[in-house]
Amino acid sequence: TGLERLSRVEGIFSNDTKPVESFMPSRPITSTTPLTSLESVGTLYLLLDETFQNFDGLQNLVEIQEDLLLLASYDTPSPLMLSLQGLNNLTSIGGRLTLNDVDLVDFTGLDSLESVGSIDLYLGGRTLPSFESFAGLGALQTITDKLQISNYFEDLSLDAQPFLALSSLTTLGKLQLYN
């Protein structure tokens, strides 16, 4: 595909316009396989559809300098069950990790992530109906800004169990829970 030797890129956006002019990606991405040499990226905004399986092409990615936004295409008939496998070597996300209109059970696949600016989870409706815990984030030491969990569809009731996987976390700017 011609991208196999690419090791650094400022941003990857699955849309037709520049990221500054358009926050939301408009075209789904089906595979990250051509990006096997990528080690660092400024921003990664990906619109995913039901054909997307995993992040196998990003096994060499160690740093996202700004944001990682993963959202399902509105054409996807049900929540997109997502696996974060393939991101196993990612150690740092400088900005936000945001999941919207996707589903996952836990964060397995982000096993090497040590620091992130913030984590924004939008529970309920089509987003994260199967979410159980923060398992997979055992190496996470720092959330610089916030861990935000929002649930706009039902009362937010969390017990301590999902948070036990954050055993290495030493720094958290703030915890925000919204109904």
Side-chain angles (χ1 to χ4, degrees):
T1 62
L3 300 177
E4 291 84 4
R5 297 182 63 186
L6 187 65
S7 65
R8 293 184 63 83
V9 66
E10 185 176 323
I12 297 175
F13 306 87
S14 58
N15 67 1
D16 293 326
T17 60
K18 293 181 182 176
V20 173
E21 299 161 11
S22 173
F23 172 71
M24 299 305 251
S26 60
R27 295 178 55 207
I29 188 169
T30 57
S31 172
T32 57
T33 303
L35 303 172
T36 56
S37 295
L38 192 63
E39 297 170 3
S40 177
V41 64
T43 299
L44 189 57
Y45 284 0
L46 298 178
L47 181 66
L48 310 170
D49 67 13
E50 63 276 355
T51 63
F52 189 85
Q53 298 295 313
N54 54 45
F55 296 91
D56 281 346
L58 296 176
Q59 68 270 13
N60 291 316
L61 184 66
V62 295
E63 173 190 39
I64 298 175
Q65 297 165 0
E66 295 176 24
D67 299 332
L68 172 58
L69 170 67
L70 303 174
L71 74 143
S73 166
Y74 292 113
D75 299 346
T76 305
S78 60
L80 179 65
M81 190 54 141
L82 190 61
S83 166
L84 299 174
Q85 292 298 330
L87 295 171
N88 303 68
N89 291 317
L90 184 63
T91 61
S92 173
I93 301 172
R96 297 175 301 143
L97 167 58
T98 303
L99 302 173
N100 203 343
D101 277 346
V102 297
D103 192 14
L104 53 82
V105 173
D106 58 32
F107 287 88
T108 300
L110 290 178
D111 310 289
S112 298
L113 189 65
E114 297 173 357
S115 67
V116 63
S118 67
I119 298 175
D120 299 326
L121 302 179
Y122 301 94
L123 304 179
R126 287 174 38 109
T127 304
L128 298 173
S130 303
F131 181 72
E132 293 178 2
S133 79
F134 291 95
L137 293 177
L140 186 62
Q141 300 168 21
T142 302
I143 301 175
T144 308
D145 185 20
K146 67 184 175 193
L147 170 57
Q148 176 178 304
I149 303 172
S150 304
N151 188 337
Y152 298 110
F153 296 94
E154 56 190 66
D155 287 338
L156 183 61
S157 59
L158 293 176
D159 58 28
Q161 190 63 37
F163 295 94
L164 294 178
L166 296 174
S167 59
S168 296
L169 190 65
T170 58
T171 303
L172 173 61
K174 57 188 157 197
L175 175 63
Q176 294 180 324
L177 304 175
Y178 293 105
N179 268 354

mmCIF file of all heavy atoms in Angstrom, residues 22-23 49 54 56 59 61 81 92 99 117 134 141 149 166 172-173:
data_model
loop_
_atom_site.group_PDB
_atom_site.id
_atom_site.type_symbol
_atom_site.label_atom_id
_atom_site.label_comp_id
_atom_site.label_asym_id
_atom_site.label_seq_id
_atom_site.Cartn_x
_atom_site.Cartn_y
_atom_site.Cartn_z
ATOM 1 N N SER A 22 -13.010 19.914 10.831
ATOM 2 C CA SER A 22 -14.062 18.920 11.013
ATOM 3 C C SER A 22 -13.680 17.981 12.141
ATOM 4 O O SER A 22 -12.775 17.170 11.994
ATOM 5 C CB SER A 22 -14.266 18.131 9.719
ATOM 6 O OG SER A 22 -15.167 17.080 9.928
ATOM 7 N N PHE A 23 -14.361 18.090 13.268
ATOM 8 C CA PHE A 23 -14.039 17.256 14.421
ATOM 9 C C PHE A 23 -14.369 15.792 14.168
ATOM 10 O O PHE A 23 -13.633 14.906 14.527
ATOM 11 C CB PHE A 23 -14.799 17.758 15.645
ATOM 12 C CG PHE A 23 -14.669 16.852 16.835
ATOM 13 C CD1 PHE A 23 -13.473 16.761 17.521
ATOM 14 C CD2 PHE A 23 -15.733 16.086 17.253
ATOM 15 C CE1 PHE A 23 -13.350 15.932 18.611
ATOM 16 C CE2 PHE A 23 -15.613 15.248 18.343
ATOM 17 C CZ PHE A 23 -14.418 15.183 19.021
ATOM 18 N N ASP A 49 -16.546 0.888 11.320
ATOM 19 C CA ASP A 49 -17.812 0.219 11.016
ATOM 20 C C ASP A 49 -17.683 -1.264 11.347
ATOM 21 O O ASP A 49 -16.657 -1.715 11.859
ATOM 22 C CB ASP A 49 -18.266 0.465 9.574
ATOM 23 C CG ASP A 49 -17.366 -0.167 8.536
ATOM 24 O OD1 ASP A 49 -16.515 -1.020 8.886
ATOM 25 O OD2 ASP A 49 -17.503 0.170 7.355
ATOM 26 N N ASN A 54 -9.720 -5.147 14.506
ATOM 27 C CA ASN A 54 -8.763 -4.839 15.566
ATOM 28 C C ASN A 54 -7.721 -3.860 15.031
ATOM 29 O O ASN A 54 -7.817 -3.413 13.905
ATOM 30 C CB ASN A 54 -8.102 -6.117 16.099
ATOM 31 C CG ASN A 54 -7.470 -6.928 14.991
ATOM 32 O OD1 ASN A 54 -6.793 -6.384 14.127
ATOM 33 N ND2 ASN A 54 -7.692 -8.232 15.006
ATOM 34 N N ASP A 56 -4.447 -4.427 14.509
ATOM 35 C CA ASP A 56 -3.233 -5.209 14.241
ATOM 36 C C ASP A 56 -2.136 -4.432 13.526
ATOM 37 O O ASP A 56 -0.967 -4.686 13.756
ATOM 38 C CB ASP A 56 -3.567 -6.467 13.439
ATOM 39 C CG ASP A 56 -4.145 -7.550 14.323
ATOM 40 O OD1 ASP A 56 -4.043 -7.435 15.563
ATOM 41 O OD2 ASP A 56 -4.697 -8.514 13.788
ATOM 42 N N GLN A 59 0.777 -2.326 15.865
ATOM 43 C CA GLN A 59 1.530 -3.010 16.906
ATOM 44 C C GLN A 59 2.830 -2.310 17.276
ATOM 45 O O GLN A 59 3.373 -2.557 18.352
ATOM 46 C CB GLN A 59 1.793 -4.480 16.536
ATOM 47 C CG GLN A 59 2.737 -4.677 15.391
ATOM 48 C CD GLN A 59 2.048 -4.721 14.038
ATOM 49 O OE1 GLN A 59 0.878 -4.381 13.908
ATOM 50 N NE2 GLN A 59 2.766 -5.136 13.027
ATOM 51 N N LEU A 61 3.067 1.108 17.394
ATOM 52 C CA LEU A 61 2.722 2.436 17.891
ATOM 53 C C LEU A 61 2.989 2.515 19.392
ATOM 54 O O LEU A 61 2.458 1.725 20.167
ATOM 55 C CB LEU A 61 1.245 2.739 17.599
ATOM 56 C CG LEU A 61 0.750 4.131 17.962
ATOM 57 C CD1 LEU A 61 1.432 5.191 17.105
ATOM 58 C CD2 LEU A 61 -0.766 4.219 17.789
ATOM 59 N N MET A 81 -18.749 -3.875 18.562
ATOM 60 C CA MET A 81 -17.917 -4.555 19.558
ATOM 61 C C MET A 81 -16.471 -4.400 19.130
ATOM 62 O O MET A 81 -16.097 -4.777 18.029
ATOM 63 C CB MET A 81 -18.299 -6.021 19.677
ATOM 64 C CG MET A 81 -17.644 -6.689 20.841
ATOM 65 S SD MET A 81 -17.969 -5.795 22.372
ATOM 66 C CE MET A 81 -18.201 -7.108 23.499
ATOM 67 N N SER A 92 1.763 5.929 25.783
ATOM 68 C CA SER A 92 1.366 7.279 26.146
ATOM 69 C C SER A 92 0.349 7.852 25.168
ATOM 70 O O SER A 92 0.516 7.743 23.951
ATOM 71 C CB SER A 92 2.611 8.177 26.170
ATOM 72 O OG SER A 92 2.261 9.522 26.355
ATOM 73 N N LEU A 99 -14.083 7.106 23.756
ATOM 74 C CA LEU A 99 -14.830 6.031 23.103
ATOM 75 C C LEU A 99 -16.277 6.481 23.000
ATOM 76 O O LEU A 99 -16.885 6.843 24.003
ATOM 77 C CB LEU A 99 -14.737 4.744 23.911
ATOM 78 C CG LEU A 99 -13.330 4.218 24.176
ATOM 79 C CD1 LEU A 99 -13.377 3.034 25.116
ATOM 80 C CD2 LEU A 99 -12.644 3.853 22.887
ATOM 81 N N GLY A 117 -3.812 11.803 29.010
ATOM 82 C CA GLY A 117 -4.306 13.100 29.454
ATOM 83 C C GLY A 117 -5.648 12.973 30.142
ATOM 84 O O GLY A 117 -5.847 13.439 31.262
ATOM 85 N N PHE A 134 -11.896 -1.784 34.038
ATOM 86 C CA PHE A 134 -10.728 -1.146 33.436
ATOM 87 C C PHE A 134 -9.581 -2.133 33.264
ATOM 88 O O PHE A 134 -8.426 -1.728 33.116
ATOM 89 C CB PHE A 134 -10.288 0.057 34.283
ATOM 90 C CG PHE A 134 -11.254 1.199 34.229
ATOM 91 C CD1 PHE A 134 -12.230 1.350 35.198
ATOM 92 C CD2 PHE A 134 -11.207 2.115 33.196
ATOM 93 C CE1 PHE A 134 -13.133 2.392 35.148
ATOM 94 C CE2 PHE A 134 -12.104 3.161 33.134
ATOM 95 C CZ PHE A 134 -13.075 3.306 34.107
ATOM 96 N N GLN A 141 -0.333 4.654 35.131
ATOM 97 C CA GLN A 141 0.113 5.329 36.340
ATOM 98 C C GLN A 141 -0.466 6.733 36.472
ATOM 99 O O GLN A 141 -0.693 7.206 37.579
ATOM 100 C CB GLN A 141 1.642 5.424 36.356
ATOM 101 C CG GLN A 141 2.328 4.092 36.331
ATOM 102 C CD GLN A 141 3.810 4.225 36.063
ATOM 103 O OE1 GLN A 141 4.413 5.281 36.258
ATOM 104 N NE2 GLN A 141 4.425 3.144 35.601
ATOM 105 N N ILE A 149 -16.755 9.662 33.386
ATOM 106 C CA ILE A 149 -17.704 8.614 33.028
ATOM 107 C C ILE A 149 -19.082 9.244 33.009
ATOM 108 O O ILE A 149 -19.545 9.787 34.015
ATOM 109 C CB ILE A 149 -17.651 7.443 34.031
ATOM 110 C CG1 ILE A 149 -16.225 6.872 34.096
ATOM 111 C CG2 ILE A 149 -18.655 6.368 33.637
ATOM 112 C CD1 ILE A 149 -16.029 5.844 35.177
ATOM 113 N N LEU A 166 -7.132 -0.593 38.038
ATOM 114 C CA LEU A 166 -6.286 0.610 37.989
ATOM 115 C C LEU A 166 -5.314 0.638 39.169
ATOM 116 O O LEU A 166 -5.007 1.691 39.715
ATOM 117 C CB LEU A 166 -7.167 1.869 37.985
ATOM 118 C CG LEU A 166 -8.071 2.035 36.782
ATOM 119 C CD1 LEU A 166 -9.002 3.224 36.966
ATOM 120 C CD2 LEU A 166 -7.268 2.173 35.495
ATOM 121 N N LEU A 172 -4.204 11.197 39.436
ATOM 122 C CA LEU A 172 -5.477 11.429 38.762
ATOM 123 C C LEU A 172 -5.874 12.867 39.013
ATOM 124 O O LEU A 172 -6.060 13.270 40.172
ATOM 125 C CB LEU A 172 -6.563 10.478 39.283
ATOM 126 C CG LEU A 172 -7.990 10.714 38.793
ATOM 127 C CD1 LEU A 172 -8.086 10.568 37.290
ATOM 128 C CD2 LEU A 172 -8.954 9.759 39.493
ATOM 129 N N GLY A 173 -5.981 13.654 37.931
ATOM 130 C CA GLY A 173 -6.384 15.056 38.073
ATOM 131 C C GLY A 173 -7.725 15.168 38.756
ATOM 132 O O GLY A 173 -7.868 15.805 39.800
#
